[in-house]
Amino acid sequence: MFQALKRINRQFALLSGISLFLLLSILATHLISRYFESTIDGNWEQISAEKTNSIKDECTSLFDSYQKETIQFSSELLKNKKLLTAIGNQNTRKSYEALFESDRVNDYNIEIYNPRLELFLFSGRQIYPDILELNRALSGSKFTTVKEIGFYTYVVVFTPIPVQQADKVWSGKAGGVLVTAKLIDVRYGIRNKFFRNLGITQEITDKYNISVTFDFKPYTNLSEYTDSSSLKEKLLFELKNSNGEIMGQMFIPQLDKASYILDVRDRFSNLISVEIFILNLFIAFLCIYFLKKIDSLFIRGIMMILLVVISRYLWLAVDFPSKIIMSSGLDIFSPSHYASSVAYGIGRSLGELFITSILVLIICSYIISLVIKSYRKEVLYTYTYVHIFIITLCIFIFFLAFHVYGGIIQSLVYDSNLRYFDRTQILPTDQPELIFMQLAVLFISITFLLILISCAITINKYSSGFFGKNILVGRYSVIMIFLALFIINLLLELFDTHLTELSLTLGIRNLIIILSGLLTFYIQRKLMLEHSFKLTSLLNFSMIVLACIIFVPIVMLNKITSQENKYLELTAKKISEQADDKIRFLISSSLQDISENPSLELDLKNKNKYPKLAFNIWTQSTLYSEDLNTGVFILDPDGKPVSDFNVNPSELLSDSVVSFALRNIKRKPAVPADTSIINPDKTEDLSEEESSAGDEEEIFQNREMKFYCGIKPIGKVNLKNSKFKRVIGYLVIAAQYDAKNFLAQSSMQIFRNFSQDNLINKLTSAPVISEFSDGELVGSSDKDLSRSFIKSLDLFKESVKDKIDKSSLRYDQVENQLYKSYYVESSPVSKNDMSPEKIYVVSIKVNDFNLMIFFFFKYFLFAIVIYIIFIIFYICYKLTVYMLKPQEERTIKFGFREKLFVSFIVVSVIPIIVLAIYSREFVKEKNNEFYKNQMISDLRIVEQYVKNKMPSLDYSKMKTEGSGENGVNIFNIFGKGFTESRKNFNLYVKTRLVSTTDEQLYKSDLLDERISGNAFYNIALLKKDYYAENQDIGSLTVLAGYKPMYDNFNNLIGIISSQTVFRQNEINQELTENLVYIFGVYFVAVLFLIMIVNILSYTISNPIIKLQKATEQLSRGNIEIQVSSSSKDEIGELVNSFNKMTRELKRSRAELKKVERESAWRDIARQVAHEIKNPLTPMKLAMQHLYYAYSHSSGDFKSILQTTNRLIIDQIETLNRIATEFSDFAKMPSRNYQPINIDEILLDVVGLLNSDGKITLKLFKANSKSSVTGDRDEVKRALINIIRNSLQAIDEKVCDRVDGHISIETVVSNGFYRIFIKDNGIGMDEDTLQSLFEPYFSTKSSGMGLGLVITKKIIDDMKGKIFVKSVQNKGTEVEIRFECFYFPDKT
Amino acid sequence: MRTDKYILYTVILIYYCFIGIQLSHSQDNWWKEKKYKTEIKKVKFANCKKTFVNIGNGINYANVYEITPYFGSEVYLSILTDEKGYYSPDQTKFILDNFFTNNTVNSFKWRNSNRSENYAFASGKYKYNKNGFINTYDISVSLKYVNDSWIIDQIIIN
């Protein structure tokens, strides 16, 4: 007991010490933070200067590193002798060959010019070098410069190429110029998903959290900036090239003291939050430590929940770990992915939900471990009504769990903004938030399953009394319970009320009940068989995860598709709204914002800026973030377009927009500034009601083409000597309001940052959108399908006749496929509006089996990957623990079954994995081949088309007039049919683009107008018939195919190309889907194989393991053992012979026992006779002496009578004792085995024997509730025997005047109940110790030597152990050891 | 002399009145009052204005709880380039709260508005304090008329 206390104190002291230390360190951190703040305050100027300098140095060095890399690459290229020779020989083909030998050629843009400054070789994008720069390089100087081309910024290195052959020297000049460029920055709003993390500005912002700006404009003069107000707040630094020339400026914002101090404080508060977290952990350890001391499992559970909840809120208070994780760049704590205000902000974001789900899982695991513990305990209350109450409560919790779980998953799906159906990737690596969401769902599902199992186990425990002692029913009681739950579940469905609504459909509920039933059955069986069963084993974990993998995707899919109705409605209403006012507002505010921008006027004066001007305006305006087909057009004063950008030119025709806008603005002076007249088509009746319509912008609606456009003159300049003002240009903005905006989004997505903002992305599959006007189909994304809905229109009108909300959901059967459609009638806004009423229908497939399978497999693969990662961590942990063990303890035992299992798995699973890997490659290859073939056939058709369309095409003219330096003067030879096919086709003449189906890709600079260097080399120089390559647009990789066009004389007249820009998503989707199906099926097969292999290895190894266990039992003396086996093979025979052997052994043992017993009886009889004889002789003598005295009338007769009487009574007492001991030894009383508390028995025994004050008896109890199974009276007798022996041993020694004491201590550890009885009596010698438990051995004069034999028998029968240690004249120590909870009857 | 004094007082009074009118008028510059034929419409657009004013106050005092009553079942949010899409009211609340915390408001004023039967838009300038600099964002809010009340359809911050 003292030792136990000491142990407790040591652990407690350690934990408290660490906690105190942490508390002090928090205080210290806080003080240090304050000290830092005051230091910063005092030395701000110095700190600010140092910090700015360090940032400047970092930025400059980062910039220099880009420069150096490019210079180094140029030098490397020029070291290539083969390349130099080829350039010297003017051999383009060989030059390309030599160039492509370099590994890093794809990371750079390269141009090589010959001494006549003609482009000789190129790779990558166009660099547009200045002729002055080229001349300078040609004259031998090597220098670096920075160029802004479109929205890209490049660092460009000009290197003169050394002259190779003396005879080709060009008047002292170099042999050519090598221009290499590396992308260093991406600007404007085009920073879309492909360029999100690219560029030097981004790098610096990520590193220092400051917005550094660069200005690489050539000829910029510092004086231009001196009066700029922004410069006052920023520090300007010059960026120089290797020659010391200024290339541009860098502006670093001046450090703000307050924000710097805040930053420092923030860092310290981060540290403090970590410290608080660690402190919280230690306090949690302390609490758990004390929790173990509480006996009531219920209170323990409640305390644990409280502890976790308090910790969670404490973390929330100190922003742990959201602050630290957010600062590392993972934005799972942003509410944009998921946010909910349930549970007082416990799930404010996905990260918090994730952490909470882990904590809830921990609580539930703890609770189930308590439930399993309590399962082994005797029921506390024996009243039947208490049992019925507990069972009812558990059933209620069981079904409540379904309701809560369904609700939680629904809330997760409804409140999250994630794309659950991303078909481009198997694992959502592009969307890390989805990984956390799916993990959180998995954890919550495991928690849910654990709650179900806990309920079922408790019901099983408390219902066992009702099943009686029928073993069959007892064994399968779990199945019966789940059958009952199943029936209750079905009954609940019948009572379709709000109270019985369980958030999950009946089928899913049944599936979950079956799965949890199987798991509970397994756990209950294990609980019965293994007394040390723990739920936290790898096998149990795997089984629970497997069950979750089966039902979680089904539940999620169910919830996602149920949410779909909401999005279907939202989409339909959005489309029907037409949003006239919104578009008007958008156009007018964009016009206002753009025209207010002073740089627009400057840009308009610079003709070089024209090509990309419209695109830049578009990216900077709000139009960029709208779900609309929009276009920006810039016109010169004469109304001629100079620059335009149109998202979808095939839908919003540029020419119509411009002419419509111009037509309207010309009408304007003739009429007063009243929108109602300017815009005759305006549907609103506001003009009637409003006395002064305040709109100043000119917004016109074109009903025919379904677009709105706005026009605004730019920069009115005063004309000399005149009151008139001159306009320098017009800005036209157009937006299409057609429902088709929602249909073809692909072209828009290319230019935008996000795709998740699109409503349609939230639907599980692509919807069919139809627009009906007066019962006629006027717009559709799938005409055949849309026509099928015409017949439902009247029914719809009928159904919404009396309703205010003219919309409804309907299910239609079309082409044997069920579609759910949302119908919305868009009624005219006013009575004056004569426009026909329109009905919009958005339809989507219902019960899409492919979709279900895809989602199931996708989640399945995700869970498998997570499981494998977990297993790897587990193995690493186990290995570490194993390595830390001492050398002698390091043994890994692989049993027969494990070996069998592993060998089966190796033989069966490995081929499947190999096959899966092979299939993956095969599918990828096939997919690529398929798209390549498709591209080739497409290109063939296009080649024919181009040849037919322009038989007299003057290619040479196109070459010269085609596109200039920045020009996009492109012939439009591709008709509307091409644009509708959503395939991109381009025609190149020589190296220049002359015609394309998607101008906007080139106007936005996403693609280069020059043919790729590789393609030119392969097609023009190597004369290949077809060439395909992968090209990168930021992080998007697209497939590009090229095909040459020859004239009748076999001269190359052009190159036709096609890029999968818009279709790349589709291609990735198809590949992913194929892979998901393949991997999904393979993994399911592997899972089944593992199960089959498990069963097989179990069947084969089980008899052998049984035999081995039986042999062990036999060696321990259990000859009753028999092994059951139904197999007829060698193992069966082995089992039979074993059984035969044990039977033989049993028989011979019985015979031996009989003989032994007879001999023992003989011995006993002899001994008893002898013992009886002993008192009989003195009795006989006494009686003779009495008779003699009586017959001789002795005068002393009275005293003789008294002596004789005493003697005889004494002897009779002796005889009685002999008889009692004999019967005690011989009799086998019926035992009453039950859980007994030995501490209580010891207390009785000590009270009984402590009456004598000479010897002190001390009892140290373990105070444990653990019990031992045995007979209470027998145990008491055994303990009395031992303690009495100790008392007697001391009694013998007391003569030597030594104080006697006996200490009795009980300890519960490792599942054993141990009693230590120590005395300081006379002790025993070695011989006595040896024969201590032999019958009739006794050192005492009185007694038969049967006491200890009886004691040993009692302990042995309880499967206990007794050990005796003794030193003569010092004392004896007896240890009795029992197993806690042992059911001798069941084994 | 005495008359001059009176004239001066009158001029000052008129001047202040004028300034006062100007000021009170400038407050409402963003909302152009119109004459409505029916009382229903008048009330409807008065409600619309009130909604915008309340939202404006919410933004001005960075108090998201003044804005939350006007959230519909889904709100389209576009905050710079970070957040974009349809969000649930809970999400919107947290995102806006986040935005207000990161960009401490200095002042917010509606600049202009536009309205029709079922739609109303307003945009304003949001001045905020970040790293010691005062910068501006454009905030535009669009309202939708659903079931006799104006609810927020979109919030765009650029």
Side-chain angles (χ1 to χ4, degrees), chain A residues 336 341 415 417 577 581-582 625 689-690 754, chain B residues 34-35 81 83 86-87 90-91 116 119 121 154:
Chain A
S336 58
S341 53
D415 280 349
N417 239 33
E577 270 162 7
D581 312 300
K582 188 182 150 186
S625 58
E689 297 173 10
E690 295 159 13
F754 289 82
Chain B
K34 294 167 185 175
K35 280 181 188 171
T81 52
E83 318 286 358
Y86 289 89
Y87 293 99
D90 273 339
Q91 278 177 297
S116 72
Y119 275 97
F121 306 93
Q154 295 191 3

PDB file of all heavy atoms in Angstrom, chain A residues 336 341 415 417 577 581-582 625 689-690 754, chain B residues 34-35 81 83 86-87 90-91 116 119 121 154:
ATOM      1  N   SER A 336     -15.098  29.631 -45.872  1.00  0.00           N
ATOM      2  CA  SER A 336     -15.634  29.539 -47.229  1.00  0.00           C
ATOM      3  C   SER A 336     -15.912  28.102 -47.644  1.00  0.00           C
ATOM      4  O   SER A 336     -16.693  27.877 -48.555  1.00  0.00           O
ATOM      5  CB  SER A 336     -14.681  30.187 -48.218  1.00  0.00           C
ATOM      6  OG  SER A 336     -13.452  29.562 -48.133  1.00  0.00           O
ATOM      7  N   SER A 341     -23.070  27.465 -37.330  1.00  0.00           N
ATOM      8  CA  SER A 341     -23.064  28.072 -36.000  1.00  0.00           C
ATOM      9  C   SER A 341     -23.609  27.113 -34.957  1.00  0.00           C
ATOM     10  O   SER A 341     -23.918  27.515 -33.863  1.00  0.00           O
ATOM     11  CB  SER A 341     -23.872  29.352 -36.029  1.00  0.00           C
ATOM     12  OG  SER A 341     -25.137  29.077 -36.561  1.00  0.00           O
ATOM     13  N   ASP A 415     -24.097  22.794 -45.770  1.00  0.00           N
ATOM     14  CA  ASP A 415     -23.400  24.023 -45.412  1.00  0.00           C
ATOM     15  C   ASP A 415     -21.999  24.116 -46.001  1.00  0.00           C
ATOM     16  O   ASP A 415     -21.285  25.068 -45.735  1.00  0.00           O
ATOM     17  CB  ASP A 415     -23.302  24.152 -43.883  1.00  0.00           C
ATOM     18  CG  ASP A 415     -24.595  24.663 -43.301  1.00  0.00           C
ATOM     19  OD1 ASP A 415     -25.437  25.092 -44.089  1.00  0.00           O
ATOM     20  OD2 ASP A 415     -24.765  24.618 -42.079  1.00  0.00           O
ATOM     21  N   ASN A 417     -19.153  24.097 -49.144  1.00  0.00           N
ATOM     22  CA  ASN A 417     -19.087  24.642 -50.498  1.00  0.00           C
ATOM     23  C   ASN A 417     -18.116  23.825 -51.337  1.00  0.00           C
ATOM     24  O   ASN A 417     -17.366  24.367 -52.121  1.00  0.00           O
ATOM     25  CB  ASN A 417     -18.605  26.080 -50.421  1.00  0.00           C
ATOM     26  CG  ASN A 417     -19.602  27.001 -51.011  1.00  0.00           C
ATOM     27  OD1 ASN A 417     -20.792  26.723 -50.916  1.00  0.00           O
ATOM     28  ND2 ASN A 417     -19.159  28.053 -51.636  1.00  0.00           N
ATOM     29  N   GLU A 577     -34.943  34.379 -63.901  1.00  0.00           N
ATOM     30  CA  GLU A 577     -34.952  35.770 -63.435  1.00  0.00           C
ATOM     31  C   GLU A 577     -34.595  36.756 -64.549  1.00  0.00           C
ATOM     32  O   GLU A 577     -35.031  37.888 -64.545  1.00  0.00           O
ATOM     33  CB  GLU A 577     -33.941  35.939 -62.295  1.00  0.00           C
ATOM     34  CG  GLU A 577     -34.551  35.695 -60.939  1.00  0.00           C
ATOM     35  CD  GLU A 577     -33.484  35.448 -59.907  1.00  0.00           C
ATOM     36  OE1 GLU A 577     -32.288  35.612 -60.240  1.00  0.00           O
ATOM     37  OE2 GLU A 577     -33.821  35.069 -58.793  1.00  0.00           O
ATOM     38  N   ASP A 581     -32.248  44.049 -64.514  1.00  0.00           N
ATOM     39  CA  ASP A 581     -31.721  45.166 -63.729  1.00  0.00           C
ATOM     40  C   ASP A 581     -30.282  44.917 -63.324  1.00  0.00           C
ATOM     41  O   ASP A 581     -29.462  45.821 -63.291  1.00  0.00           O
ATOM     42  CB  ASP A 581     -32.544  45.345 -62.459  1.00  0.00           C
ATOM     43  CG  ASP A 581     -34.011  45.329 -62.787  1.00  0.00           C
ATOM     44  OD1 ASP A 581     -34.414  46.194 -63.548  1.00  0.00           O
ATOM     45  OD2 ASP A 581     -34.708  44.412 -62.314  1.00  0.00           O
ATOM     46  N   LYS A 582     -30.036  43.655 -63.013  1.00  0.00           N
ATOM     47  CA  LYS A 582     -28.688  43.314 -62.564  1.00  0.00           C
ATOM     48  C   LYS A 582     -27.683  43.563 -63.678  1.00  0.00           C
ATOM     49  O   LYS A 582     -26.627  44.156 -63.463  1.00  0.00           O
ATOM     50  CB  LYS A 582     -28.660  41.843 -62.150  1.00  0.00           C
ATOM     51  CG  LYS A 582     -27.381  41.458 -61.508  1.00  0.00           C
ATOM     52  CD  LYS A 582     -27.402  39.993 -61.168  1.00  0.00           C
ATOM     53  CE  LYS A 582     -26.008  39.473 -61.219  1.00  0.00           C
ATOM     54  NZ  LYS A 582     -25.986  38.032 -61.033  1.00  0.00           N
ATOM     55  N   SER A 625     -16.063  38.517 -62.841  1.00  0.00           N
ATOM     56  CA  SER A 625     -16.523  37.546 -61.838  1.00  0.00           C
ATOM     57  C   SER A 625     -17.987  37.170 -62.029  1.00  0.00           C
ATOM     58  O   SER A 625     -18.603  36.627 -61.138  1.00  0.00           O
ATOM     59  CB  SER A 625     -16.308  38.122 -60.444  1.00  0.00           C
ATOM     60  OG  SER A 625     -17.001  39.330 -60.325  1.00  0.00           O
ATOM     61  N   GLU A 689     -43.945  56.075 -63.954  1.00  0.00           N
ATOM     62  CA  GLU A 689     -44.182  56.436 -62.573  1.00  0.00           C
ATOM     63  C   GLU A 689     -43.164  57.410 -62.006  1.00  0.00           C
ATOM     64  O   GLU A 689     -43.421  58.094 -61.049  1.00  0.00           O
ATOM     65  CB  GLU A 689     -44.187  55.164 -61.719  1.00  0.00           C
ATOM     66  CG  GLU A 689     -45.297  54.237 -62.110  1.00  0.00           C
ATOM     67  CD  GLU A 689     -45.197  52.925 -61.395  1.00  0.00           C
ATOM     68  OE1 GLU A 689     -44.381  52.815 -60.474  1.00  0.00           O
ATOM     69  OE2 GLU A 689     -45.935  52.021 -61.760  1.00  0.00           O
ATOM     70  N   GLU A 690     -42.020  57.373 -62.617  1.00  0.00           N
ATOM     71  CA  GLU A 690     -40.977  58.204 -62.060  1.00  0.00           C
ATOM     72  C   GLU A 690     -40.854  59.482 -62.867  1.00  0.00           C
ATOM     73  O   GLU A 690     -40.774  59.440 -64.085  1.00  0.00           O
ATOM     74  CB  GLU A 690     -39.646  57.447 -62.065  1.00  0.00           C
ATOM     75  CG  GLU A 690     -39.710  56.248 -61.144  1.00  0.00           C
ATOM     76  CD  GLU A 690     -38.672  55.232 -61.468  1.00  0.00           C
ATOM     77  OE1 GLU A 690     -37.739  55.537 -62.247  1.00  0.00           O
ATOM     78  OE2 GLU A 690     -38.778  54.106 -60.970  1.00  0.00           O
ATOM     79  N   PHE A 754     -12.143  30.809 -60.302  1.00  0.00           N
ATOM     80  CA  PHE A 754     -12.804  29.714 -59.614  1.00  0.00           C
ATOM     81  C   PHE A 754     -13.800  29.044 -60.521  1.00  0.00           C
ATOM     82  O   PHE A 754     -14.331  29.661 -61.418  1.00  0.00           O
ATOM     83  CB  PHE A 754     -13.547  30.228 -58.387  1.00  0.00           C
ATOM     84  CG  PHE A 754     -12.624  30.648 -57.300  1.00  0.00           C
ATOM     85  CD1 PHE A 754     -12.031  31.892 -57.318  1.00  0.00           C
ATOM     86  CD2 PHE A 754     -12.335  29.787 -56.275  1.00  0.00           C
ATOM     87  CE1 PHE A 754     -11.184  32.275 -56.309  1.00  0.00           C
ATOM     88  CE2 PHE A 754     -11.487  30.166 -55.272  1.00  0.00           C
ATOM     89  CZ  PHE A 754     -10.899  31.413 -55.280  1.00  0.00           C
TER      90      PHE A 754
ATOM     91  N   LYS B  34     -37.941  58.865 -55.964  1.00  0.00           N
ATOM     92  CA  LYS B  34     -38.826  58.929 -57.130  1.00  0.00           C
ATOM     93  C   LYS B  34     -40.259  58.992 -56.642  1.00  0.00           C
ATOM     94  O   LYS B  34     -40.536  58.614 -55.502  1.00  0.00           O
ATOM     95  CB  LYS B  34     -38.638  57.661 -57.988  1.00  0.00           C
ATOM     96  CG  LYS B  34     -37.270  57.593 -58.592  1.00  0.00           C
ATOM     97  CD  LYS B  34     -36.993  56.219 -59.164  1.00  0.00           C
ATOM     98  CE  LYS B  34     -35.562  56.152 -59.640  1.00  0.00           C
ATOM     99  NZ  LYS B  34     -35.189  54.805 -60.091  1.00  0.00           N
ATOM    100  N   LYS B  35     -41.122  59.434 -57.529  1.00  0.00           N
ATOM    101  CA  LYS B  35     -42.542  59.475 -57.143  1.00  0.00           C
ATOM    102  C   LYS B  35     -43.209  58.174 -57.557  1.00  0.00           C
ATOM    103  O   LYS B  35     -43.053  57.724 -58.691  1.00  0.00           O
ATOM    104  CB  LYS B  35     -43.235  60.658 -57.826  1.00  0.00           C
ATOM    105  CG  LYS B  35     -42.976  61.956 -57.119  1.00  0.00           C
ATOM    106  CD  LYS B  35     -43.697  63.067 -57.818  1.00  0.00           C
ATOM    107  CE  LYS B  35     -43.290  64.400 -57.231  1.00  0.00           C
ATOM    108  NZ  LYS B  35     -43.823  65.502 -58.046  1.00  0.00           N
ATOM    109  N   THR B  81     -10.415  38.087 -54.644  1.00  0.00           N
ATOM    110  CA  THR B  81     -10.326  36.867 -55.461  1.00  0.00           C
ATOM    111  C   THR B  81     -10.370  35.641 -54.579  1.00  0.00           C
ATOM    112  O   THR B  81     -10.246  34.525 -55.053  1.00  0.00           O
ATOM    113  CB  THR B  81      -9.026  36.863 -56.269  1.00  0.00           C
ATOM    114  OG1 THR B  81      -7.966  37.104 -55.364  1.00  0.00           O
ATOM    115  CG2 THR B  81      -9.035  37.881 -57.369  1.00  0.00           C
ATOM    116  N   GLU B  83     -12.810  34.569 -52.009  1.00  0.00           N
ATOM    117  CA  GLU B  83     -14.048  33.843 -51.800  1.00  0.00           C
ATOM    118  C   GLU B  83     -14.985  34.144 -52.957  1.00  0.00           C
ATOM    119  O   GLU B  83     -15.203  35.296 -53.293  1.00  0.00           O
ATOM    120  CB  GLU B  83     -14.736  34.290 -50.501  1.00  0.00           C
ATOM    121  CG  GLU B  83     -13.832  34.492 -49.323  1.00  0.00           C
ATOM    122  CD  GLU B  83     -13.353  33.192 -48.753  1.00  0.00           C
ATOM    123  OE1 GLU B  83     -13.770  32.137 -49.269  1.00  0.00           O
ATOM    124  OE2 GLU B  83     -12.547  33.226 -47.814  1.00  0.00           O
ATOM    125  N   TYR B  86     -21.681  30.537 -54.000  1.00  0.00           N
ATOM    126  CA  TYR B  86     -22.902  30.570 -53.196  1.00  0.00           C
ATOM    127  C   TYR B  86     -22.588  30.006 -51.826  1.00  0.00           C
ATOM    128  O   TYR B  86     -22.031  28.918 -51.718  1.00  0.00           O
ATOM    129  CB  TYR B  86     -24.000  29.753 -53.864  1.00  0.00           C
ATOM    130  CG  TYR B  86     -24.527  30.429 -55.097  1.00  0.00           C
ATOM    131  CD1 TYR B  86     -23.942  30.204 -56.339  1.00  0.00           C
ATOM    132  CD2 TYR B  86     -25.573  31.328 -55.006  1.00  0.00           C
ATOM    133  CE1 TYR B  86     -24.390  30.848 -57.461  1.00  0.00           C
ATOM    134  CE2 TYR B  86     -26.036  31.979 -56.136  1.00  0.00           C
ATOM    135  CZ  TYR B  86     -25.443  31.731 -57.357  1.00  0.00           C
ATOM    136  OH  TYR B  86     -25.903  32.380 -58.465  1.00  0.00           O
ATOM    137  N   TYR B  87     -22.931  30.752 -50.816  1.00  0.00           N
ATOM    138  CA  TYR B  87     -22.629  30.309 -49.456  1.00  0.00           C
ATOM    139  C   TYR B  87     -23.900  30.267 -48.622  1.00  0.00           C
ATOM    140  O   TYR B  87     -24.843  31.027 -48.859  1.00  0.00           O
ATOM    141  CB  TYR B  87     -21.643  31.267 -48.785  1.00  0.00           C
ATOM    142  CG  TYR B  87     -20.295  31.248 -49.425  1.00  0.00           C
ATOM    143  CD1 TYR B  87     -19.919  32.221 -50.335  1.00  0.00           C
ATOM    144  CD2 TYR B  87     -19.387  30.245 -49.117  1.00  0.00           C
ATOM    145  CE1 TYR B  87     -18.685  32.207 -50.932  1.00  0.00           C
ATOM    146  CE2 TYR B  87     -18.145  30.216 -49.705  1.00  0.00           C
ATOM    147  CZ  TYR B  87     -17.800  31.193 -50.617  1.00  0.00           C
ATOM    148  OH  TYR B  87     -16.568  31.152 -51.192  1.00  0.00           O
ATOM    149  N   ASP B  90     -24.796  30.809 -42.599  1.00  0.00           N
ATOM    150  CA  ASP B  90     -23.756  30.654 -41.570  1.00  0.00           C
ATOM    151  C   ASP B  90     -22.386  30.979 -42.121  1.00  0.00           C
ATOM    152  O   ASP B  90     -21.605  31.704 -41.507  1.00  0.00           O
ATOM    153  CB  ASP B  90     -23.753  29.210 -41.057  1.00  0.00           C
ATOM    154  CG  ASP B  90     -24.739  29.017 -39.938  1.00  0.00           C
ATOM    155  OD1 ASP B  90     -25.107  30.032 -39.319  1.00  0.00           O
ATOM    156  OD2 ASP B  90     -25.130  27.867 -39.691  1.00  0.00           O
ATOM    157  N   GLN B  91     -22.121  30.411 -43.306  1.00  0.00           N
ATOM    158  CA  GLN B  91     -20.825  30.665 -43.926  1.00  0.00           C
ATOM    159  C   GLN B  91     -20.647  32.144 -44.218  1.00  0.00           C
ATOM    160  O   GLN B  91     -19.606  32.720 -43.931  1.00  0.00           O
ATOM    161  CB  GLN B  91     -20.718  29.877 -45.234  1.00  0.00           C
ATOM    162  CG  GLN B  91     -20.326  28.437 -45.036  1.00  0.00           C
ATOM    163  CD  GLN B  91     -20.317  27.723 -46.355  1.00  0.00           C
ATOM    164  OE1 GLN B  91     -21.322  27.602 -47.009  1.00  0.00           O
ATOM    165  NE2 GLN B  91     -19.173  27.246 -46.765  1.00  0.00           N
ATOM    166  N   SER B 116     -35.462  48.227 -59.191  1.00  0.00           N
ATOM    167  CA  SER B 116     -36.603  47.928 -60.050  1.00  0.00           C
ATOM    168  C   SER B 116     -37.587  47.128 -59.218  1.00  0.00           C
ATOM    169  O   SER B 116     -37.420  47.000 -58.014  1.00  0.00           O
ATOM    170  CB  SER B 116     -36.152  47.170 -61.274  1.00  0.00           C
ATOM    171  OG  SER B 116     -35.816  45.870 -60.885  1.00  0.00           O
ATOM    172  N   TYR B 119     -35.621  43.868 -58.011  1.00  0.00           N
ATOM    173  CA  TYR B 119     -34.191  43.928 -57.753  1.00  0.00           C
ATOM    174  C   TYR B 119     -33.770  45.299 -57.283  1.00  0.00           C
ATOM    175  O   TYR B 119     -34.367  46.295 -57.695  1.00  0.00           O
ATOM    176  CB  TYR B 119     -33.384  43.618 -59.018  1.00  0.00           C
ATOM    177  CG  TYR B 119     -33.203  42.166 -59.200  1.00  0.00           C
ATOM    178  CD1 TYR B 119     -34.044  41.463 -60.033  1.00  0.00           C
ATOM    179  CD2 TYR B 119     -32.203  41.504 -58.498  1.00  0.00           C
ATOM    180  CE1 TYR B 119     -33.906  40.115 -60.183  1.00  0.00           C
ATOM    181  CE2 TYR B 119     -32.070  40.153 -58.641  1.00  0.00           C
ATOM    182  CZ  TYR B 119     -32.915  39.459 -59.478  1.00  0.00           C
ATOM    183  OH  TYR B 119     -32.765  38.131 -59.610  1.00  0.00           O
ATOM    184  N   PHE B 121     -29.957  47.388 -56.357  1.00  0.00           N
ATOM    185  CA  PHE B 121     -28.500  47.300 -56.219  1.00  0.00           C
ATOM    186  C   PHE B 121     -28.002  48.573 -55.582  1.00  0.00           C
ATOM    187  O   PHE B 121     -28.560  49.639 -55.782  1.00  0.00           O
ATOM    188  CB  PHE B 121     -27.819  47.186 -57.579  1.00  0.00           C
ATOM    189  CG  PHE B 121     -28.349  46.078 -58.410  1.00  0.00           C
ATOM    190  CD1 PHE B 121     -29.370  46.314 -59.319  1.00  0.00           C
ATOM    191  CD2 PHE B 121     -27.826  44.810 -58.281  1.00  0.00           C
ATOM    192  CE1 PHE B 121     -29.869  45.295 -60.086  1.00  0.00           C
ATOM    193  CE2 PHE B 121     -28.325  43.789 -59.050  1.00  0.00           C
ATOM    194  CZ  PHE B 121     -29.344  44.023 -59.960  1.00  0.00           C
ATOM    195  N   GLN B 154     -26.684  39.136 -53.531  1.00  0.00           N
ATOM    196  CA  GLN B 154     -25.238  39.083 -53.761  1.00  0.00           C
ATOM    197  C   GLN B 154     -24.524  40.145 -52.946  1.00  0.00           C
ATOM    198  O   GLN B 154     -25.063  41.233 -52.729  1.00  0.00           O
ATOM    199  CB  GLN B 154     -24.910  39.387 -55.219  1.00  0.00           C
ATOM    200  CG  GLN B 154     -25.411  38.377 -56.203  1.00  0.00           C
ATOM    201  CD  GLN B 154     -24.805  38.616 -57.571  1.00  0.00           C
ATOM    202  OE1 GLN B 154     -23.975  39.498 -57.753  1.00  0.00           O
ATOM    203  NE2 GLN B 154     -25.199  37.818 -58.524  1.00  0.00           N
TER     204      GLN B 154
END
